[in-house]
Amino acid sequence: MPKLAPPPKPAKLNLSLQWGTIPGKEINEKLDYMEQSGYQAFEIPTGDWLLKNGEALKKAMAGRKLFIATACGPSNFSYGEPEKREAEVQKFLPQLEVLGMLGAVGLILCPARGYKQMGLGFKELRDDFVGNTGKRLAEKAAQCGTAIVLEPLCHQETPFLKQVADGAAMCRDMESPGAKVMGDFWHMNREETSFFGALMSGGKYLVHIHIASLRNRRVPGTDGDADNYVDGFKALKLLGYQGAVSFEGGFPKDGNREELLGRMKQLLREQWEQA
Ligand code: MG
């Protein structure tokens, strides 16, 4: 069998939640919960929330063991009118400055939403993102010490960037250290033939992971045997992955959220060991 070189640093399982999922109202209350519950990272909202709360969050993070993974919110560059695409760029530039100040991994972006491109073909839109709008945001992100993180979606949702390999190719073509990619187990389960293959294709560009149960997109573990991530975790280990594995999804109607999250952590740690 071929021997693969071990990664420079051994991979780590950094469990993470999204801001809205974290119990508590105040910033410190949420961060206390995350530390006390054994998480390593978390995701924050984009937009006005980020601009308004950046400074307070920076203060609240002092002395904590947590890191800020990504900022996650709506993005869309699929407009025929160049001024509308430019408005999207302008909207995100100050947010990248805040994310850099916070030392966050990056800003999640989905270049195209839906199939109504209003006068711009999919190829032109992808080329414009890679050569212009996305590239400029990646360069700004790199200047600020953070990144844009491309999120592949399902084919029903986007005409391109459906697979991690496509996102990694876009990063390669942007030729900026601020261009990165992520994998979302929910989308990968629909678009990829292999979690392992998909994440390995992300390679050095892979900096973030979303995870959910694989039948209903809820807390991992609530879909029984379907919730098997071992194959993907093997790739993360081979890559020496240092990013977060962040739960993005809903909760079942019944059941105690705290218990469900506790079982999720246990399940993911067990599967990480198995990988
Ligand atoms: Mg996602």
Side-chain angles (χ1 to χ4, degrees), residues 32-234:
D32 287 346
Y33 171 88
M34 292 301 278
E35 276 191 333
Q36 286 158 17
S37 311
Y39 293 92
Q40 286 72 39
F42 59 95
E43 287 185 61
I44 53 177
T46 56
D48 289 343
W49 187 95
L50 180 61
L51 297 173
K52 217 177 105 201
N53 292 287
E55 289 291 341
L57 182 57
K58 172 93 178 168
K59 261 190 209 151
M61 282 294 281
R64 293 190 187 268
K65 283 177 228 145
L66 299 163
F67 71 90
I68 301 171
T70 49
C72 186
S75 61
N76 188 1
F77 296 81
S78 42
Y79 303 105
E81 304 91 327
E83 59 274 17
K84 286 192 180 171
R85 298 198 297 277
E86 186 57 29
E88 200 72 354
V89 174
Q90 294 303 321
K91 179 178 98 181
F92 285 120
L93 291 173
Q95 298 184 40
L96 287 167
E97 288 176 11
V98 179
L99 290 171
M101 181 266 290
L102 289 168
V105 171
L107 168 73
I108 295 178
L109 291 180
C110 304
R113 289 275 183 179
Y115 282 80
K116 289 181 198 152
Q117 309 304 319
M118 297 174 284
L120 191 71
F122 304 141
K123 180 189 177 296
E124 288 72 25
L125 177 60
R126 190 182 183 285
D127 288 348
D128 184 64
F129 187 82
V130 169
N132 175 28
T133 54
K135 186 179 170 73
R136 284 191 290 131
L137 285 168
E139 279 164 0
K140 171 74 174 180
Q143 280 166 20
C144 297
T146 185
I148 62 164
V149 183
L150 304 182
E151 178 166 13
L153 302 174
C154 294
H155 67 273
Q156 294 92 336
E157 300 165 306
T158 187
F160 61 89
L161 186 53
K162 295 170 277 194
Q163 293 182 313
V164 179
D166 190 26
M170 290 169 76
C171 292
R172 178 201 61 200
D173 293 346
M174 280 193 243
E175 294 180 325
S176 165
K180 303 288 181 190
V181 74
M182 59 170 288
D184 180 322
F185 274 96
W186 174 256
H187 302 303
M188 288 194 293
N189 199 35
R190 277 145 189 80
E191 301 298 329
E192 311 272 4
T193 53
S194 152
F195 290 143
F196 180 86
L199 294 176
M200 286 306 285
S201 310
K204 65 178 178 180
Y205 301 109
L206 187 75
V207 295
H208 193 60
I209 298 289
H210 278 163
I211 199 162
S213 75
L214 294 176
R215 284 204 191 105
N216 297 295
R217 206 177 191 184
R218 292 176 184 151
V219 197
T222 52
D223 284 336
D225 291 346
D227 295 346
N228 190 325
Y229 314 96
V230 175
D231 182 56
F233 286 171
K234 282 182 182 166

